Amino acid sequence: MNSILKNPPDDSPRRSGLYIRTYGCQMNLYDSRRMSEFLADDYRRVPTPEEAELIVVNTCSVREGPQHKVYAELNRLSEHKKSNPHVILAVCGCVAQQEKDRMFQKVPALDLCFGPDAVPHIRELVERVKQEGRQRDTRFVKGGFHLEDQDVPLALETVEGSPVTEFVAIQKGCDKFCSYCIVPYTRGREKSRPMEEILREIQWLAEGGVLEVTLLGQNVNAYGLDFGDEHAFSNLLRRASEVPGIERIRFVTSHPAHVNEDFARTLAELPKVCPYLHLPIQAGADRVLEAMNRGYTRAQYMNHIEMLRRWSPNLALSGDIIVGFPGETYEEFRETVDAIEEIRYESLFSFVYSARPGTKAAKLDDPVPREEKLEWLHVLQDRQKRITHEINESYLDTKQEVLIEGCSKKDTAEWMGRTPSNKIVNFPAENAKGGDLVTVNIVQAMPNTLRGECLGLVKSYSPKTDR
Ligand code: 5AD
Ligand code: SF4
């Protein structure tokens, strides 16, 4: 495997335009980055589909809403292809994996349909489309999880420029079979990626100027259990901390069933591992948790966070909640509201239950109308808004170490960065730049973000390319 980091020149005349539209989770964002790297010899990323010769729509099927958006987007792009017939239109991700040939029936202009396991083969699939026409690859790859089976170095090339923070997949698929969830069917069984391969990728990213990595998987704290190594995740965090140039490490998503003392201790002891944990509870009532097949009770979840907070008193928690699981009663929903009051997540991602064809829950009786579930969701979100705002206010007048990721979204004259606890902070600073670690005094608490005043530089990292 070639370990040379390569940045093909932007003005390379032989490279065509590649537009990737990414829906859904961070794993999809990661897959999109990998695809652009696998294609980097022939394609450069462009910001709009109009400039592209190859268009890839990377899809999500975790709920019905995003799935609908995919077809709307593909139909729009089909119109564009009508007047530009040389354009290759491809779809990948979880909807492609599930829908297979139905995608071609619904979107006749489509040239290529492939699932998450075919991501490393995108280059040869595009070649086959050029030679033979329409292709589909939705096979699950047997064996381990490797992303190095092609001799393709990291290009580290995004439309926006060289990144400060990047994702690294450490695991694929999921074995948990929560009764509502489509992921085990679209991404296959859970498999851990070999540790040496992960560390090599982290090292390449660091060589390219990346300062922060987020390790990705559906159940990262079960990493390596499929190799029979119960300390693998802690070892991975330890070894990732030792990679020169890496300053911060995050990871998502953790599963409550795999929280233990070893995990809590590692999280507390490694200074580069950020005190932030995404640990979804999903529901507050034991009967619902059991029907969801989550593998823990509410009391066990609460014990875990109590233990985690004992080890890391400043630990910031975030979570996911599904409202209106089939058969969930109003009283059971109130137990969820009660649970988030008790937990006090710094941020919460909450959704109305969406029936996914082929899952166990989709067969259950679901008597509560969607309008009512939406009302429940609003109640929950209002509660969480208050909690998040209160927590944000507790940051006022504190000094935070912020890693600058780039310009603020709302005001390009300001910088945006994150605290170790994953809070977004916007602030003005004349002499700062992306990739700087600065101390910021928090002066204002907004509902979702913080505003600050820069007190000074902690460390300036010399980036490999302009940010
Ligand atoms: N309906 C609603 N939300 C879902 N999620 C997963 N499947 C469904 C579904 N069928 C949510 C869970 C998960 C997050 C990524 O998406 O809360 O943690
Ligand atoms: Fe889906 Fe449950 Fe696996 Fe998460 S742990 S991906 S919710 S089956």
Side-chain angles (χ1 to χ4, degrees):
M1 174 71 202
N2 187 350
S3 68
I4 298 163
L5 203 97
K6 173 167 84 169
N7 261 323
D10 238 352
D11 52 1
S12 169
R14 36 181 196 92
R15 294 199 302 152
S16 312
L18 163 67
Y19 174 75
I20 309 184
R21 177 87 165 92
T22 309
Y23 292 94
C25 65
Q26 291 154 326
M27 194 60 91
N28 270 11
L29 286 170
Y30 174 77
D31 283 345
S32 292
R33 166 165 78 76
R34 293 299 280 175
M35 285 190 281
S36 55
E37 288 162 1
F38 290 135
L39 289 164
D41 276 343
D42 305 316
Y43 290 92
R44 79 200 138 83
R45 290 284 280 268
V46 290
T48 64
E50 288 73 28
E51 296 163 68
E53 279 81 32
L54 171 59
I55 299 176
V56 183
V57 181
N58 192 358
T59 64
C60 168
S61 60
V62 79
R63 285 171 293 278
E64 207 180 350
Q67 187 157 341
H68 281 318
K69 277 195 216 152
V70 165
Y71 280 109
E73 174 87 1
L74 285 172
N75 287 328
R76 265 197 306 278
L77 293 167
S78 299
E79 282 303 308
H80 169 64
K81 190 178 151 118
K82 266 189 197 155
S83 40
N84 301 276
H86 68 285
V87 167
I88 296 175
L89 182 56
V91 65
C92 62
C94 290
V95 178
Q97 181 65 43
Q98 236 189 320
E99 295 276 279
K100 302 188 170 60
D101 284 339
R102 272 198 302 266
M103 300 250 38
F104 293 121
Q105 285 152 21
K106 291 187 186 165
V107 187
L110 197 62
D111 298 298
L112 173 60
C113 170
F114 60 103
D117 269 17
V119 162
H121 308 295
I122 184 164
R123 197 171 176 200
E124 91 204 34
L125 287 169
V126 170
E127 274 317 301
R128 288 222 309 263
V129 170
K130 288 181 185 164
Q131 307 293 329
E132 304 160 23
R134 181 178 271 185
Q135 299 289 326
R136 166 165 80 82
D137 186 352
T138 47
R139 291 166 300 175
F140 280 120
V141 173
K142 298 238 161 38
F145 172 28
H146 297 279
L147 282 167
E148 281 191 355
D149 36 341
Q150 288 189 28
D151 186 14
V152 180
L154 297 168
L156 263 189
E157 201 186 25
T158 64
V159 176
E160 298 80 22
S162 175
V164 172
T165 174
E166 272 295 353
F167 299 120
V168 176
I170 67 164
Q171 194 185 47
K172 74 171 180 180
C174 183
D175 270 351
K176 292 283 181 288
F177 287 94
C178 298
S179 61
Y180 50 81
C181 186
I182 198 73
V183 169
Y185 305 94
T186 58
R187 289 193 176 260
R189 295 300 95 81
E190 192 165 290
K191 283 176 194 140
S192 300
R193 189 177 175 195
M195 193 175 306
E196 300 306 324
E197 200 183 301
I198 297 167
L199 291 167
R200 265 197 301 276
E201 184 172 340
I202 296 175
Q203 195 181 323
W204 289 333
L205 291 169
E207 284 168 14
V210 168
L211 299 164
E212 177 187 274
V213 287
T214 301
L215 310 179
L216 290 184
Q218 303 297 342
N219 302 295
V220 285
N221 55 335
Y223 172 79
L225 294 183
D226 49 342
F227 305 148
D229 180 356
E230 58 181 296
H231 301 294
F233 188 57
S234 297
N235 284 338
L236 175 62
L237 290 175
R238 199 160 289 121
R239 293 198 50 199
S241 296
E242 289 161 5
V243 173
I246 292 300
E247 297 297 324
R248 284 183 172 184
I249 299 164
R250 303 182 186 279
F251 52 87
V252 279
T253 292
S254 301
H255 195 292
H258 295 288
V259 170
N260 54 36
E261 197 101 15
D262 180 40
F263 173 69
R265 188 185 322 113
T266 309
L267 191 57
E269 283 177 358
L270 293 174
K272 289 185 180 176
V273 174
C274 292
Y276 165 75
L277 187 64
H278 184 64
L279 192 71
I281 190 172
Q282 308 293 2
D286 282 343
R287 193 201 64 80
V288 178
L289 285 171
E290 188 166 357
M292 287 178 160
N293 194 28
R294 287 292 291 173
Y296 52 84
T297 61
R298 175 195 178 118
Q300 282 168 334
Y301 183 94
M302 297 300 178
N303 284 340
H304 285 327
I305 62 171
E306 201 237 325
M307 189 257 295
L308 286 158
R309 282 173 166 156
R310 224 178 317 120
W311 279 98
S312 307
N314 293 327
L315 186 67
L317 285 171
S318 67
D320 294 338
I321 297 261
I322 297 176
V323 164
F325 181 81
E328 185 174 54
T329 63
Y330 179 71
E331 287 67 35
E332 286 167 337
F333 161 70
R334 296 301 309 185
E335 287 190 54
T336 300
V337 178
D338 197 64
I340 68 153
E341 287 281 5
E342 190 176 334
I343 299 163
R344 292 182 69 80
Y345 289 117
E346 293 225 353
S347 62
L348 178 69
F349 304 87
S350 48
F351 320 91
V352 166
Y353 167 76
S354 170
R356 303 288 62 214
T359 60
K360 231 171 136 190
K363 298 184 193 85
L364 297 174
D365 251 8
D366 192 4
V368 177
R370 189 174 158 79
E371 297 71 53
E372 202 169 325
K373 292 183 184 182
L374 278 168
E375 278 172 33
W376 296 2
L377 183 71
H378 285 141
V379 170
L380 184 81
Q381 290 181 339
D382 274 355
R383 256 331 147 82
Q384 181 59 42
K385 233 184 241 169
R386 184 176 49 69
I387 296 168
T388 300
H389 206 166
E390 280 169 13
I391 294 176
N392 287 355
E393 280 172 345
S394 73
Y395 280 83
L396 283 172
D397 284 325
T398 64
K399 291 177 186 42
Q400 298 289 324
E401 265 193 10
V402 174
L403 179 63
I404 304 182
E405 291 178 21
C407 289
S408 153
K409 267 195 190 135
K410 280 198 185 130
D411 181 354
T412 49
E414 295 204 345
W415 295 107
M416 185 283 276
R418 280 169 209 269
T419 64
S421 62
N422 211 29
K423 277 279 166 223
I424 289 180
V425 187
N426 295 303
F427 59 97
E430 270 183 14
N431 297 320
K433 61 181 185 329
D436 281 353
L437 191 65
V438 290
T439 308
V440 174
N441 183 38
I442 305 303
V443 294
Q444 205 180 349
M446 324 291 268
N448 292 311
T449 58
L450 304 172
R451 276 187 57 76
E453 269 168 12
C454 187
L455 297 180
L457 193 67
V458 179
K459 202 163 172 184
S460 184
Y461 301 95
S462 50
K464 301 290 182 293
T465 41
D466 283 345
R467 292 203 165 95

